[in-house]
């Protein structure tokens, strides 16, 4: 299976699974309501799956665990029908990160998501993997491989 590698922000790279394509400008506006230059997204229409990333500058002394708690609180407050499954810290890979697994609904459609929260230098970023709940079992191995591929550009 062919993958392509994408540099997300601050030299953080990730493998994108085959079958995903970048959103057109119109699709981007439909999904996100705005075009943020610090945001990126790809979509697999056939499998109703999306991977998106965004980042922001934070104070260099801020800790990843504080950022993870703040991101968690923000998602809980802004996502309709949010239900947390797990928040875990992952230190085994090249980049320490938190992975937040949760479900929510868009209208009557249940969704399953994994949001990776990570930092490099003074940039805090999230990489979110979202799929319709009925396709989560099929897409999770691809998402998991992308999460495990997160690395710094020189690695």
């Amino acid at each position: 299976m062919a993958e392509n590698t994408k540099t997300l922000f601050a030299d953080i790279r990730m493998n994108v699974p085959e079958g995903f394509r970048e959103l057109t400008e119109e699709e981007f506006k439909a999904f996100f309501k705005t075009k943020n230059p610090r945001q990126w997204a790809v979509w697999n229409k056939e499998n109703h799956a999306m991977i998106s990333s965004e980042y922001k500058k934070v104070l260099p002394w801020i800790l990843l665990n504080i950022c993870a708690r703040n991101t968690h609180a923000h998602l809980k407050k802004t996502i309709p029908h949010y239900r947390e499954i797990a928040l875990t810290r992952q230190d085994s890979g090249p980049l320490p990160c938190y992975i937040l697994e949760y479900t929510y609904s868009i209208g009557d459609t249940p969704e399953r998501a994994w949001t990776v929260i990570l930092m490099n230098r003074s940039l805090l970023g999230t990489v979110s993997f979202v799929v319709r709940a009925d396709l989560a079992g099929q897409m999770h191995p691809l998402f998991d491989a992308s999460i495990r591929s997160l690395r710094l550009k020189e690695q």
Side-chain angles (χ1 to χ4, degrees), residues 72-90:
H72 175 251
H74 174 74
L75 292 175
K76 189 175 183 177
K77 186 169 60 173
T78 60
I79 293 180
H81 310 288
Y82 172 92
R83 188 175 66 82
E84 179 183 337
I85 296 172
L87 176 63
T88 55
R89 183 173 171 104
Q90 185 174 8

Side-chain angles (χ1 to χ4, degrees), residues 46-48 109-112 131-139:
E46 179 181 317
N47 291 308
H48 305 276
T109 306
E111 303 284 333
R112 181 93 175 242
V131 65
R132 265 190 2 210
D134 61 331
L135 296 170
Q138 173 186 329
M139 295 303 295

Side-chain angles (χ1 to χ4, degrees), residues 64 87-100 115-118 144 146-150:
L64 180 59
L87 176 63
T88 55
R89 183 173 171 104
Q90 185 174 8
D91 290 314
S92 59
L95 291 165
C97 63
Y98 281 86
I99 301 172
L100 177 60
T115 294
V116 180
I117 305 152
L118 63 163
D144 189 52
S146 289
I147 291 169
R148 285 185 282 111
S149 79
L150 286 162

Side-chain angles (χ1 to χ4, degrees), residues 11-115:
D11 292 331
I12 294 174
R13 300 181 70 137
M14 179 186 76
N15 296 342
V16 177
E18 182 178 357
F20 283 81
R21 64 164 177 80
E22 290 203 35
L23 297 174
T24 66
E25 193 169 325
E26 295 79 31
E27 290 168 337
F28 203 96
K29 286 178 183 175
F31 282 112
F32 297 104
K33 308 298 183 228
T34 181
K35 181 67 171 137
N36 178 347
R38 296 173 302 193
Q39 193 172 26
W40 165 86
V42 290
W43 188 30
N44 181 318
K45 186 175 182 178
E46 179 181 317
N47 291 308
H48 305 276
M50 184 176 289
I51 301 171
S52 65
S53 173
E54 64 181 303
Y55 65 93
K56 66 181 179 180
K57 192 169 182 78
V58 293
L59 297 171
W61 52 265
I62 218 160
L63 300 174
L64 180 59
N65 60 344
I66 293 170
C67 293
R69 279 191 305 230
N70 291 346
T71 300
H72 175 251
H74 174 74
L75 292 175
K76 189 175 183 177
K77 186 169 60 173
T78 60
I79 293 180
H81 310 288
Y82 172 92
R83 188 175 66 82
E84 179 183 337
I85 296 172
L87 176 63
T88 55
R89 183 173 171 104
Q90 185 174 8
D91 290 314
S92 59
L95 291 165
C97 63
Y98 281 86
I99 301 172
L100 177 60
E101 183 179 355
Y102 54 99
T103 61
Y104 66 99
S105 296
I106 298 175
D108 293 334
T109 306
E111 303 284 333
R112 181 93 175 242
W114 295 262
T115 294

